[in-house]
Amino acid sequence: MRSLRRHAFFAIGPALAAVIAWSAAGSASAAAYAQMAPVTQYLAASPQTEIDLARSAAPVAISSHATVLVLTAHGYQTAQNGTNGFTCLVERGWTAQFDNPDFWNWKLRGPICYNPPASRSVLQYTLERTKLVLSGLTNPQILQRTTAAVAAKQLPPPEPGSMSYMMSKHGYLGDGVGPWHPHLMLYAPKTDGVNDGASWGADLHGSPVILDTSYHVVPEPETIFMVTVSHWSDGSPAQH
């Protein structure tokens, strides 16, 4: 949802800042979610509800052995320890790009499972943003703090091989968007924009690789590529 943050809905933010999903909300969302709602509105009905939603991000062979984090009023906490190095959680709208109209949308839920390299690097972006959000900072203040943390090299670039699963049919990546499409997210260090996704063949006719161009406007040191897949995590076919 940072994954969310990247889709165009998150823009798919700094991660769906990647998925072209969140952005669809438009000016109506900007008015509806102009500021942060009470923290309780962002929390799940129960820890088990959040655990189940987090695990739905990836096939059970992966998610059943993953560590699961749940969001509390004090930040993400480990609800279940895993054995395979993956980390599953549900990201909120504040992982989107900072000018995204759904940044404070309390309804957004982005189930995601990070592989071991991404758990050690990319996941830190979400945890840092969440800490700043729950400390009561405004959107501009969070952007300023995040930018400063990147400049001070307090947030690492994605480790080689970093990727995540976003294959849940139960996610909510934006008003009118729903779960978008099941997809994988691949992370690379941010570049100066030269050639962008050319080396990946991204966004070319017939290519399944999508470049999340929101990386130009988010401070985190990552470039995100998305690849949609044909089935949800439970094995049911997805309609593209």
Side-chain angles (χ1 to χ4, degrees):
M1 213 152 180
R2 257 193 22 324
S3 286
L4 282 184
R5 90 186 72 153
R6 313 133 193 171
H7 288 79
F9 87 70
F10 255 9
I12 190 169
L16 254 265
V19 180
I20 302 163
W22 303 89
S23 57
S27 58
S29 288
Y33 313 113
Q35 60 187 15
M36 186 177 181
V39 172
T40 52
Q41 290 188 237
Y42 296 96
L43 303 181
S46 70
Q48 190 60 52
T49 297
E50 181 123 346
I51 290 169
D52 292 343
L53 183 56
R55 289 196 187 280
S56 71
V60 66
I62 296 169
S63 62
S64 62
H65 301 290
T67 292
V68 180
L69 307 182
V70 299
L71 181 66
T72 74
H74 305 290
Y76 282 99
Q77 297 182 358
T78 301
Q80 295 180 350
N81 289 306
T83 58
N84 63 0
F86 280 74
T87 305
C88 300
L89 66 156
V90 181
E91 296 186 337
R92 285 0 186 233
W94 55 71
T95 60
Q97 61 219 60
F98 285 88
D99 61 352
N100 192 295
D102 277 324
F103 190 90
W104 293 122
N105 187 339
W106 61 88
K107 294 176 286 185
L108 295 188
R109 298 291 187 271
I112 186 168
C113 286
Y114 289 106
N115 75 342
S119 294
R120 294 189 295 264
S121 56
V122 179
L123 173 59
Q124 305 314 307
Y125 311 158
T126 292
L127 300 182
E128 177 65 14
R129 282 208 191 188
T130 301
K131 180 183 74 174
L132 296 175
V133 164
L134 296 180
S135 71
L137 297 181
T138 64
N139 177 302
Q141 290 172 327
I142 297 167
L143 174 57
Q144 182 181 44
R145 295 284 188 91
T146 304
T147 302
V150 172
K153 299 189 183 303
Q154 296 170 351
L155 291 176
E159 285 191 17
S162 291
M163 60 83 64
S164 64
Y165 291 79
M166 293 194 76
M167 297 174 59
S168 176
K169 63 166 53 173
H170 305 296
Y172 189 83
L173 304 186
D175 293 344
V177 173
W180 197 61
H181 302 293
H183 60 281
L184 308 179
M185 298 182 69
L186 312 173
Y187 308 93
K190 182 180 288 187
T191 69
D192 59 8
V194 177
N195 295 324
D196 289 336
S199 64
W200 292 66
D203 299 327
L204 298 179
H205 179 70
S207 172
V209 182
I210 301 168
L211 171 66
D212 172 19
T213 57
S214 69
Y215 76 93
H216 287 300
V217 295
V218 296
E220 287 84 359
E222 66 177 345
T223 299
I224 300 167
F225 296 90
M226 297 176 291
V227 178
T228 59
V229 295
S230 60
H231 288 72
W232 300 105
S233 62
D234 63 2
S236 59
Q239 299 298 319
H240 289 278

